[in-house]
Amino acid sequence: MLLNLRILLNNAALRNGHSFVVRNFRCGQPLQNKVQLKGRDLLTLKNFTGEEIKYMLWLSADLKFRIKQKGEYLPLLQGKSLGMIFEKRSTRTRLSTETGFALLGGHPCFLTTQDIHLGVNESLTDTARVLSSMTDAVLARVYKQSDLDILAKEASIPIINGLSDLYHPIQILADYLTLQEHYGSLKGLTLSWIGDGNNILHSIMMSAAKFGMHLQAATPKGYEPDPSVTKVAEQYAKENGTKLSLTNDPLEAARGGNVLITDTWISMGQEEEKKKRLQAFQGYQVTMKTAKVAASDWTFLHCLPRKPEEVDDEVFYSPRSLVFPEAENRKWTIMAVMVSLLTDYSPQLQKPKF
């Protein structure tokens, strides 16, 4: 009852153009900005300009500062609901989305393959229309990117890619926020990818150049990134004056890199390929030997869960490793995505230097 009264008082004050404060709940006229993402889908960062991605990171920093540092209560998603479709298991994506959406006053609804089997017990078209009538947005963690494309086409609400075989955009937002916090700026950084040519690498390729970051990626032969993604990434590098290097040599990719990045070699759905993949990725483990050829200010990222063959303990648990701040930032970035796609809120925090 008291909470509802506070919300009513704040809403009334806002309608009159005033700012009203009750304890840590502070509202007011937001700063104006040119970026408007409300109503958009987030299927791939390919569909977003550099300024639009920067805006989401700015909003992430704003929410983290206001809620975590200042202790403010911001029910920006009060009265809104989120459908969460998970065909694959998850720790960080599920926890960050559920807790983040609820922290902003909304109601997340978790759906597994036991509850909803995309395109099997009901067509994707029908599923999209039903969810559109009952929720305000859908985050889907799926096997096929094509399923997301159909959901987005048929739904009248924002569809967010929680991971697919082709892209993992919400992970990359967390990575960039983490690097922004550590280095103070993203422009000019060299990212060194050592591992599989997978959805994480694809998402980096669709966005790094837009920040002025260089990318050096090493993948085993036969595990290179998708050629269509590479073609677009090459164009982005040309447009933004950045370097894109693809190689099969891990040390070549690591040389001079500010950020060493790897991921699992065996993604969900690839378990039958385990023996073959472990053989193909021999020599790709990130170690201090790898770090010796990197830049003097090198750091390490891994989206987790991590296996020892991908990165040894000395690097993974070193002071240079940013994996746990990276994991926490999954929460603040997904919160920013939800707020930007569902509301007109603008960040109050001064825009970071990117």
Side-chain angles (χ1 to χ4, degrees):
M1 184 72 179
L2 180 58
L3 174 60
N4 290 335
L5 177 60
R6 288 175 183 162
I7 294 169
L8 288 171
L9 287 170
N10 277 281
N11 289 342
L14 283 175
R15 284 194 295 271
N16 292 321
H18 302 299
S19 177
F20 186 84
V21 181
V22 178
R23 293 186 181 177
N24 292 325
F25 183 10
R26 187 186 304 269
C27 289
Q29 293 299 325
L31 299 176
Q32 297 300 309
N33 72 89
K34 298 178 182 179
V35 176
Q36 176 55 259
L37 303 180
K38 187 177 181 181
R40 295 268 298 272
D41 298 313
L42 175 54
L43 306 181
T44 166
L45 294 176
K46 176 183 176 182
N47 299 336
F48 290 79
T49 66
E51 286 306 310
E52 290 171 336
I53 304 172
K54 289 175 184 178
Y55 170 75
M56 287 188 278
L57 295 180
W58 177 18
L59 181 50
S60 303
D62 175 84
L63 295 175
K64 187 174 184 179
F65 175 74
R66 296 188 69 185
I67 296 173
K68 182 178 181 179
Q69 301 299 327
K70 296 182 68 179
E72 294 187 50
Y73 176 52
L74 299 176
L76 301 172
L77 300 180
Q78 181 112 18
K80 297 189 183 297
S81 58
L82 174 72
M84 299 170 58
I85 300 173
F86 277 64
E87 290 188 324
K88 294 184 175 184
R89 64 185 181 272
S90 166
T91 300
R92 281 148 295 279
T93 300
R94 177 180 177 180
L95 194 60
S96 62
T97 304
E98 280 195 355
T99 59
F101 204 81
L103 184 58
L104 292 166
H107 177 75
C109 183
F110 181 70
L111 301 166
T112 70
T113 52
Q114 302 301 313
D115 308 298
I116 181 172
H117 201 174
L118 287 177
V120 177
N121 60 326
E122 187 171 32
S123 72
L124 286 166
T125 296
D126 292 355
T127 297
R129 294 179 181 181
V130 169
L131 291 172
S132 295
S133 71
M134 297 185 184
T135 65
D136 296 282
V138 169
L139 180 139
R141 185 179 180 91
V142 299
Y143 284 98
K144 297 186 293 184
Q145 178 75 22
S146 57
D147 285 349
L148 287 170
D149 295 335
I150 295 173
L151 283 174
K153 179 183 177 182
E154 299 296 338
S156 57
I157 57 175
I159 303 297
I160 299 129
N161 183 353
L163 176 144
S164 73
D165 57 349
L166 196 58
Y167 296 114
H168 195 0
I170 58 175
Q171 175 62 55
I172 301 312
L173 293 176
D175 292 1
Y176 291 168
L177 178 63
T178 306
L179 296 178
Q180 171 71 30
E181 292 173 338
H182 181 82
Y183 289 102
S185 177
L186 298 177
K187 186 175 182 180
L189 291 179
T190 296
L191 308 180
S192 296
W193 175 269
I194 300 169
D196 193 11
N198 63 10
N199 49 10
I200 301 287
L201 177 58
H202 290 163
S203 289
I204 294 173
M205 293 172 74
M206 291 298 95
S207 55
K210 297 174 184 179
F211 286 87
M213 289 189 285
H214 311 292
L215 175 60
Q216 301 172 171
T219 57
K221 290 182 179 179
Y223 295 90
E224 294 87 356
D226 186 285
S228 63
V229 173
T230 299
K231 183 177 180 180
V232 175
E234 289 172 341
Q235 183 61 35
Y236 285 160
K238 183 178 180 181
E239 291 172 357
N240 292 280
T242 62
K243 293 181 292 183
L244 173 64
S245 171
L246 302 180
T247 179
N248 301 120
D249 184 346
L251 290 181
E252 182 181 342
R255 197 171 307 280
N258 303 104
V259 190
L260 303 176
I261 316 172
T262 193
D263 184 24
T264 181
W265 297 346
I266 305 160
S267 298
M268 284 175 280
Q270 298 174 337
E271 288 80 6
E272 292 182 1
E273 303 175 32
K274 182 175 180 178
K275 185 177 180 180
K276 177 184 176 183
R277 281 179 165 268
L278 288 177
Q279 291 177 341
F281 283 81
Q282 287 296 313
Y284 275 75
Q285 184 190 45
V286 177
T287 66
M288 284 299 177
K289 179 181 177 181
T290 316
K292 281 183 179 179
V293 303
S296 59
D297 63 349
W298 69 271
T299 54
F300 175 76
L301 293 178
H302 191 304
C303 69
L304 306 180
R306 162 256 185 177
K307 303 292 189 300
E309 63 263 22
E310 300 149 6
V311 52
D312 68 9
D313 284 355
E314 191 175 7
V315 171
F316 186 77
Y317 291 111
S318 78
R320 302 295 191 98
S321 175
L322 302 177
V323 294
F324 295 110
E326 176 188 12
E328 180 195 340
N329 281 335
R330 288 294 306 279
K331 179 172 181 173
W332 302 109
T333 47
I334 195 60
M335 287 167 67
V337 167
M338 299 302 177
V339 169
S340 64
L341 301 186
L342 293 174
T343 77
D344 293 313
Y345 175 82
S346 292
Q348 309 294 296
L349 189 69
Q350 184 176 352
K351 186 176 182 180
K353 178 183 178 182
F354 293 104

